[in-house]
Amino acid sequence: LPDMHMPRHLRAGLNSNVRMKGGIKMNTMKWLTGILLAGALAVQADDATFWRIRSTNATVITTIDVNGTLAWSNSVPGNNEQVQRATILYPVADWQDYVLVPATGIVTSVQAFDLQPPADMVLIPAGSFVMGHATNVFPVDEGNPDELPQHTVYVSAFYMDKYEVTSNLWRKVYTWAMNDGYIYGYSFGGSWGGKASTHPVRSVDWYDAIAWCNARSQMDGFTPCYTNANGTVYANAAGNSFAGGCNWTANGYRLPTEAEWEKAARGGVANHRFPWCDADDIQHARANYKAATNLFSYDTSPTTGYHPTFATNDTPYTSPVGSFAPNGYGLYDMAGNVWEWCWDWYEGTYYSSSPATDPRGPSSGTDRVRRGGPWSGNCEAVRVADRNYVEPEDESSLNGFRCVRGL
């Protein structure tokens, strides 16, 4: 692409390298060529990422900065405009939806990626998504009533752990809390464990999870999110009680809200059963779950029952985190392995009245939400729309979690 055809602000620094996918450097010229002309030219670069905007207007990507922010002109205010990503353009492009962005003016922008996210975390970009059971695609009775109605939710940007919290990471933070964090009065239940250091921690109740998030925050030098009613840091998980709240502006670790979890699990793509977008069926090659091909037409696994690779020795039959391919946002094990705690209280009719922006669940309840399904769950339980709930003091071997952080 000749320099004379490029805006001056894009010509600058073309000889520099941009670190993208997998930490591999690629030539910026090839990258910008893909951004600007992906729809018109058969151009691609090794390990490149290309972007385009799908809108009712002929939008034009005008800038992209080192923070990963895309900006485009000719937006239609009030429209939802779809940012799409591809890694291959020729001979067949692999465009996939990435994030749906409400246009607020003629020029719209979004931070689509982060070249230097926190360690083992990924950026989930701000934007809208359709939450709930996709009755426009799948039979109504395939889901549960609490997954309805489908509704559009805007979720602010956040970082999410790529992996479920491992036994090794749990123990590291737990040890810090007991030794260096003792001044805060940390205490946890005694049932937690893990099959191996790289497996997810399990048998963690909700109180343990939020106190551990606070300890991880303090260990890493961040502001804890969870506070008691008097404003002190929540640390006494062993008491199985929490009367405080969450400081949503704190920069520490916390549990995802239910909406954050589902947006992240969908990987930027709507109307699919599972965290992957190339098919709507499931097999043991994709997730650690209990296959039941005789009960579900979309369970097409050639092996049935518990996962044959991981159903060894005693239960729980968890698998090492990251054993399967990631979703569109680079997240692993969003289907199966362990249930993942969310912040929200559970309410079966919440979707009928939930806020359209950053919903955080009902103000009270008796059960907390779990998502993602466990190693012992069937394919229905590991769908991205499935909602599960249990008492927050539940210490089942099926329970685990992963953390998020606000920007």
Side-chain angles (χ1 to χ4, degrees):
L1 181 67
D3 282 359
M4 61 183 294
H5 291 161
M6 298 185 68
R8 180 176 299 171
H9 64 277
L10 290 180
R11 292 204 301 268
L14 284 179
N15 291 326
S16 63
N17 287 319
V18 175
R19 187 173 298 276
M20 289 290 288
K21 187 174 164 187
I24 297 175
K25 290 184 177 181
M26 66 179 192
N27 184 273
T28 308
M29 169 66 89
K30 295 179 181 177
W31 186 44
L32 292 174
T33 301
I35 292 170
L36 296 172
L37 297 177
L41 297 179
V43 175
Q44 70 184 68
D46 293 340
D47 206 35
T49 298
F50 303 89
W51 302 92
R52 73 179 182 185
I53 311 301
R54 194 180 68 201
S55 174
T56 55
N57 252 19
T59 56
V60 177
I61 293 178
T62 55
T63 59
I64 183 168
D65 65 25
V66 295
N67 296 316
T69 300
L70 297 175
W72 58 95
S73 61
N74 297 338
S75 286
V76 181
N79 270 13
N80 280 322
E81 298 185 322
Q82 183 70 62
V83 178
Q84 294 185 318
R85 182 180 67 169
T87 57
I88 298 172
L89 295 182
Y90 184 81
V92 179
D94 63 344
W95 292 109
Q96 294 290 346
D97 291 349
Y98 193 71
V99 62
L100 192 64
V101 181
T104 56
I106 301 301
V107 176
T108 301
S109 64
V110 67
Q111 185 180 4
F113 59 89
D114 188 341
L115 297 176
Q116 294 182 312
D120 286 329
M121 301 190 89
V122 295
L123 174 70
I124 310 302
S128 300
F129 81 106
V130 179
M131 187 173 186
H133 176 46
T135 54
N136 56 319
V137 178
F138 307 117
V140 174
D141 60 1
E142 180 181 295
N144 300 303
D146 63 356
E147 300 168 18
L148 299 173
Q150 273 189 291
H151 55 294
T152 299
V153 177
Y154 179 88
V155 175
S156 300
F158 61 97
Y159 293 107
M160 181 176 250
D161 282 340
K162 290 181 182 180
Y163 310 105
E164 293 160 333
V165 171
T166 62
S167 174
N168 186 57
L169 180 57
W170 170 276
R171 187 177 298 277
K172 177 182 177 182
V173 175
Y174 174 85
T175 301
W176 179 90
M178 295 296 100
N179 295 336
D180 300 299
Y182 70 93
I183 59 174
Y184 302 104
Y186 279 106
S187 62
F188 300 89
S191 298
W192 56 270
K195 197 162 188 177
S197 63
T198 58
H199 285 235
V201 66
R202 46 83 176 167
S203 304
V204 176
D205 70 23
W206 186 86
Y207 301 107
D208 284 339
I210 65 169
W212 186 91
C213 285
N214 276 352
R216 183 182 179 188
S217 297
Q218 291 182 305
M219 185 183 78
D220 287 352
F222 301 127
T223 302
C225 295
Y226 301 111
T227 57
N228 296 306
N230 63 2
T232 58
V233 174
Y234 178 75
N236 181 23
N240 283 351
S241 178
F242 178 66
C246 180
N247 177 3
W248 299 99
T249 62
N251 65 352
Y253 300 96
R254 58 177 175 82
L255 296 179
T257 65
E258 187 174 18
E260 286 174 334
W261 191 96
E262 186 170 326
K263 174 179 168 63
R266 290 187 177 277
V269 182
N271 299 325
H272 286 281
R273 284 193 181 99
F274 302 109
W276 43 89
C277 61
D278 60 332
D280 285 307
D281 52 12
I282 187 171
Q283 309 84 27
H284 276 148
R286 293 185 183 267
N288 183 9
Y289 73 108
K290 188 177 182 181
T293 57
N294 59 321
L295 298 178
F296 301 94
S297 61
Y298 53 90
D299 188 341
T300 59
S301 181
T303 51
T304 59
Y306 297 120
H307 199 293
T309 302
F310 308 113
T312 58
N313 301 319
D314 296 331
T315 59
Y317 297 144
T318 54
S319 49
V321 299
S323 293
F324 303 93
N327 74 352
Y329 286 147
L331 300 168
Y332 295 83
D333 299 307
M334 297 301 282
N337 216 10
V338 289
W339 285 114
E340 298 182 13
W341 286 113
C342 294
W343 159 259
D344 305 39
W345 289 109
Y346 172 79
E347 183 180 284
T349 59
Y350 181 65
Y351 284 9
S352 297
S353 59
S354 64
T357 299
D358 291 327
R360 293 165 180 163
S363 59
S364 62
T366 57
D367 299 315
R368 295 284 183 174
V369 173
R370 303 183 300 185
R371 287 299 206 107
W375 53 269
S376 62
N378 60 37
C379 60
E380 182 180 40
V382 303
R383 293 176 302 115
V384 289
D386 185 74
R387 306 178 69 201
N388 189 268
Y389 54 94
V390 72
E391 298 88 349
E393 62 269 22
D394 185 82
E395 294 181 338
S396 164
S397 65
L398 308 180
N399 293 341
F401 68 107
R402 74 177 73 212
C403 301
V404 300
R405 283 182 58 202
L407 269 63

